[in-house]
Amino acid sequence: MTRLNLSPEWRDRLKLVLEQSESKQLFSFLTEEIEDGKTIYPALDQIFDAFNTTSFSQVKVVILGQDPYHGPNQAHGMAFSVLPGSQVPPSLRNIYKELSNSSDFVIPESGYLEPWARSGVLLLNSVLSVEAGKPGSHQKMGWEAITDFVISDLSRSKDHLVFLLWGAFAQKKSLLIDESKHLILTAPHPSPLSAYRGFLGCNHFNLANQYLMAHKLPPVNWQN
């Protein structure tokens, strides 16, 4: 699919999985959905924006989401982030609240997290597309094989990463991560349904930066 943009660095790293039949079937499925007149989020040319914004060499923190927002003018290829001008979604409001409660973070009006991505935070959804108005509609279509490959490759090829796994779905991905090389932080999901069961008060953003600095890596400026 020519409209699926992926940086050369990540394309080289993902070459093996992208050439598998499951991935080719996934891209054929997306083509058919578009040809059938269905609306897919994010736009096809933004699906890989988490990778295009955060190079492999830059990654120092991974925040794992499930699948993109399914409403208009929201998803743009980065987990938990929304396009400028969109209302901040409930889960991201709780992320901001945790940051504010645990630091001098000033809650912004925007939910656009591209500055985090440019600071080395890979905002990775497990599933990278969704049909408009149908959450979870592209699960088990092939994205998981690609994103699991990414997590495994990061774990194997880099040292001293921080993985923030919120909610049961994300926490299952801990099996792909070498705990002897990386820091895995788990908490309930920041959604309104579960944030008060342990996400708020988890102190993950401070713990992530403390770990990075302990390994002589620059901390993330979450206020960006």
Side-chain angles (χ1 to χ4, degrees):
M1 295 184 66
T2 57
R3 290 171 60 193
L4 283 172
N5 301 322
L6 182 60
S7 70
E9 179 193 35
W10 278 106
R11 188 177 291 276
D12 287 345
R13 298 208 70 90
L14 302 182
K15 183 177 180 180
L16 287 175
V17 69
L18 292 176
E19 291 180 348
Q20 291 177 358
S21 59
E22 187 176 9
S23 296
K24 292 179 180 179
Q25 291 170 6
L26 165 67
F27 299 141
S28 295
F29 162 76
L30 291 174
T31 299
E32 292 168 3
E33 293 286 279
I34 296 294
E35 290 175 349
D36 287 345
K38 294 179 180 178
T39 300
I40 303 301
Y41 295 128
L44 291 185
D45 61 359
Q46 294 179 320
I47 279 179
F48 287 117
D49 269 12
F51 303 101
N52 295 334
T53 308
T54 311
S55 68
F56 181 88
S57 58
Q58 278 184 301
V59 177
K60 53 189 178 184
V61 176
V62 180
I63 296 179
L64 188 65
Q66 191 160 351
D67 63 351
Y69 299 115
H70 54 88
N73 302 313
Q74 291 184 303
H76 63 99
M78 299 181 196
F80 295 103
S81 180
V82 291
L83 288 165
S86 299
Q87 185 176 0
V88 178
S91 292
L92 184 53
R93 284 203 300 269
N94 283 327
I95 290 171
Y96 283 169
K97 186 174 182 179
E98 168 57 22
L99 272 162
S100 177
N101 289 345
S102 60
S103 68
D104 58 1
F105 179 83
V106 177
I107 295 177
E109 294 183 3
S110 173
Y112 188 53
L113 301 181
E114 185 180 66
W116 290 9
R118 296 201 178 279
S119 298
V121 181
L122 183 65
L123 298 165
L124 179 65
N125 276 318
S126 181
V127 175
L128 302 186
S129 64
V130 68
E131 183 180 346
K134 295 185 177 180
S137 51
H138 289 184
Q139 291 180 12
K140 299 182 180 179
M141 294 295 180
W143 282 124
E144 292 89 345
I146 295 172
T147 55
D148 282 2
F149 183 95
V150 169
I151 295 168
S152 297
D153 186 34
L154 285 166
S155 175
R156 180 177 57 252
S157 304
K158 294 179 75 78
D159 295 313
H160 311 313
L161 297 178
V162 181
F163 290 85
L164 303 184
L165 307 182
W166 302 327
F169 178 87
Q171 288 163 23
K172 291 176 183 177
K173 304 298 182 180
S174 64
L175 298 174
L176 304 171
I177 303 164
D178 184 346
E179 291 186 75
S180 70
K181 295 172 60 182
H182 308 289
L183 176 64
I184 301 174
L185 297 174
T186 63
H189 195 275
S191 74
L193 295 175
S194 56
Y196 288 90
R197 296 204 296 265
F199 175 80
L200 294 173
C202 68
N203 201 35
H204 279 186
F205 302 98
N206 287 328
L207 292 171
N209 276 344
Q210 289 168 14
Y211 178 84
L212 293 172
M213 289 187 290
H215 291 91
K216 297 181 170 53
L217 297 168
V220 176
N221 179 4
W222 299 108
Q223 189 65 69
N224 275 345

